Amino acid sequence: MNFDEIIERRGTHSAKWDAMETVYGVSPEDGLPMWVADMDFKPPQVVQDALARMLDHGIYGYFGGDAEYKDAIRWWMQNRHGWEVDPAHIFTTHGLVNGTGLCVQAFTEPGDGVVLFSPVYHAFARVIRSAGREVVECPLTESNGRMVMDFAAYDAQMSGREKMLILCSPHNPGGQVWTPEELRGVAEFAKRHDLVLVSDEIHHDLVMPGHKHTVMPLAAPEVSDRLVMMTAASKTFNIAGAHTGNVIIADPVLREKFASVMNGLGISANSFGLAMITAAYSPEGAAWVDALVEYLDENRKIMEQGIAAIPGAKVIPLQATYLVWGDFTDTGMEVEELHRRVQETARIAANHGESFGMGGERFLRFNVATPRARVVEAVARLQAAFSDLQ
Ligand SMILES: Cc1ncc(COP(=O)(O)O)c(C=O)c1O
């Protein structure tokens, strides 16, 4: 577990490193990629060993028999989240963007509205719009260092065409851990407007010390008949390339609809993903995650303090995720100028806030899941790029 180790990722078909020049004009020669949400760390040895066993065996045929995999998920959810999952309720998808698309197909019709709390993970809106459904953005507002939901305003916004709501819990961007009360508010809102409630909890393991994530079925068991849970090991263990996620549905009617869409698209499990996750959801994997979170917590503090030292810039401390959400609004800078300074002067590729929807315009999202030396370097570069504001 040496998270300080610098591992060369350039030229390895890494989206984060090898596409940064195309997307942001930042050369991987001396640029720092702080965008795509994957980590510059190897997964725990137990995962590497599972893959090595597959390579040693050397035959890569169709996968059959996922009982061990589903039991590993059951164990993890029970041990890490206090949530009892029935293995029969688990669908294995090709990741959670795939899971989102399948939910859109299964639970909505073209022209229906899908509610999002904005700003939020950008792929949701892309998937919804590509399927010919409408994105209904309910804006989050900031109050006392917290993103807050205004349900009275959202109630007034509903047209009756909305069929589904996607919650991101913990929230991305911003890394907020929703309280059980806030989660119950979301559940009641979904009930009031008869919405299927999809809870994307992909970041649920990466919660900073002092905060506690509550899974939606524990916060609001009364909405289990409209709840679709999405979980994955991909962010937790840095295995997103294995494209394996889980959609967990307790309600038999929703399960039937989801199964029908999955079968219609011929989606079946990826044996590499299943092997890695089965190994990861173990005591060894859990110890690695504990160490990882401690490391990330230190990285995010360095980045947050570094951003906050820039006049006009501020940041709400991350409670979860490794994605620091910097607010540059009070620098008074136009968005183009902000991006020019970060990309051309600091040579950092960070996600543009506006891609997350309404309210994200003058924000930048920085991925700090990288060896600490790079985070320190990023802070120095950012402070130099804005030094005229001192
Ligand atoms: C909230 C959320 N959901 C889903 C994903 C991506 O999921 P996958 O790689 O399983 O498609 C991300 C990646 O950053 C995310 O932040």
Side-chain angles (χ1 to χ4, degrees):
M1 289 186 220
N2 178 11
F3 299 115
D4 284 327
E5 184 188 356
I6 302 274
I7 301 168
E8 178 62 80
R9 294 188 69 191
R10 290 171 294 189
T12 63
H13 301 283
S14 150
K16 187 182 183 181
W17 285 86
D18 294 329
M20 67 192 270
E21 183 141 35
T22 312
V23 180
Y24 292 99
V26 179
S27 165
E29 278 307 307
D30 65 350
L32 294 173
M34 303 185 91
W35 59 306
V36 173
D38 74 20
M39 308 194 275
D40 295 323
F41 310 132
K42 287 185 184 172
Q45 192 56 40
V46 69
V47 172
Q48 307 287 33
D49 292 346
L51 267 186
R53 280 195 297 277
M54 287 182 81
L55 295 185
D56 279 350
H57 183 240
I59 297 178
Y60 311 112
Y62 288 114
F63 182 84
D66 60 7
E68 200 192 339
Y69 169 70
K70 289 187 173 168
D71 194 55
I73 296 174
R74 188 202 54 72
W75 180 86
W76 187 263
M77 296 309 166
Q78 186 189 53
N79 276 273
R80 303 291 287 193
H81 299 286
W83 173 34
E84 300 294 333
V85 173
D86 181 339
H89 298 172
I90 303 172
F91 293 93
T92 307
T93 66
H94 293 171
L96 293 192
V97 175
N98 179 225
T100 305
L102 294 166
C103 287
V104 168
Q105 298 296 332
F107 308 127
T108 70
E109 299 290 333
D112 285 349
V114 180
V115 177
L116 300 179
F117 298 117
S118 298
V120 73
Y121 176 52
H122 40 66
F124 293 153
R126 190 182 70 225
V127 166
I128 295 164
R129 291 195 179 110
S130 301
R133 276 68 163 171
E134 195 197 331
V135 173
V136 180
E137 285 189 277
C138 288
L140 294 165
T141 46
E142 199 209 306
S143 172
N144 297 326
R146 218 174 150 72
M147 287 181 168
V148 290
M149 293 164 173
D150 180 351
F151 290 110
Y154 305 158
D155 283 341
Q157 218 183 309
M158 294 300 105
S159 69
R161 285 200 316 276
E162 300 77 13
K163 293 289 176 326
M164 193 168 105
L165 156 66
I166 307 178
L167 173 73
C168 190
S169 177
H171 199 71
N172 169 25
Q176 182 157 298
V177 173
W178 300 111
T179 65
E181 293 69 32
E182 287 166 332
L183 294 172
R184 275 193 287 278
V186 173
E188 280 161 21
F189 175 77
K191 220 168 155 184
R192 263 198 312 285
H193 298 283
D194 196 17
L195 308 173
V196 171
L197 170 51
V198 177
S199 190
D200 179 337
E201 305 198 7
I202 197 167
H203 297 283
H204 62 174
D205 293 314
L206 302 179
V207 174
M208 297 302 124
H211 298 281
K212 188 178 171 344
H213 172 77
T214 308
V215 294
M216 185 56 100
L218 292 186
E222 66 278 10
V223 290
S224 67
D225 58 342
R226 62 179 68 248
L227 180 62
V228 174
M229 287 289 287
M230 300 207 298
T231 71
S234 49
K235 299 290 161 200
T236 313
F237 293 98
N238 201 30
I239 51 175
H243 268 292
T244 302
N246 293 292
V247 175
I248 305 174
I249 309 177
D251 180 74
V253 176
L254 295 182
R255 209 160 57 234
E256 177 67 34
K257 286 186 182 169
F258 193 85
S260 162
V261 171
M262 265 193 80
N263 291 335
L265 291 169
I267 293 177
S268 58
N270 172 322
S271 56
F272 295 94
L274 264 60
M276 285 193 262
I277 296 161
T278 307
Y281 280 168
S282 61
E284 296 91 323
W288 184 89
V289 174
D290 291 340
L292 169 72
V293 167
E294 265 182 47
Y295 191 86
L296 294 176
D297 191 39
E298 210 43 51
N299 278 9
R300 64 107 194 149
K301 283 181 197 157
I302 293 168
M303 193 69 186
E304 286 167 0
Q305 284 159 11
I307 292 175
I310 297 170
K314 60 180 189 223
V315 59
I316 299 177
L318 279 189
Q319 299 179 345
T321 81
Y322 44 72
L323 306 162
V324 173
W325 185 231
D327 179 357
F328 291 79
T329 310
D330 295 340
T331 59
M333 257 172 223
E334 291 303 321
V335 172
E336 294 71 27
E337 172 64 4
L338 188 59
H339 294 170
R340 193 193 61 72
R341 287 181 183 229
V342 173
Q343 291 163 202
E344 290 178 28
T345 312
R347 303 181 313 288
I348 293 175
N351 290 87
H352 295 173
E354 68 265 29
S355 65
F356 299 90
M358 197 187 274
E361 292 78 7
R362 284 187 168 73
F363 285 73
L364 285 162
R365 197 191 71 171
F366 298 90
N367 177 344
V368 295
T370 195
R372 187 153 305 146
R374 289 214 188 100
V375 179
V376 171
E377 170 69 16
V379 166
R381 289 189 190 188
L382 281 175
Q383 292 185 345
F386 290 92
S387 59
D388 57 317
L389 302 183
Q390 304 297 331

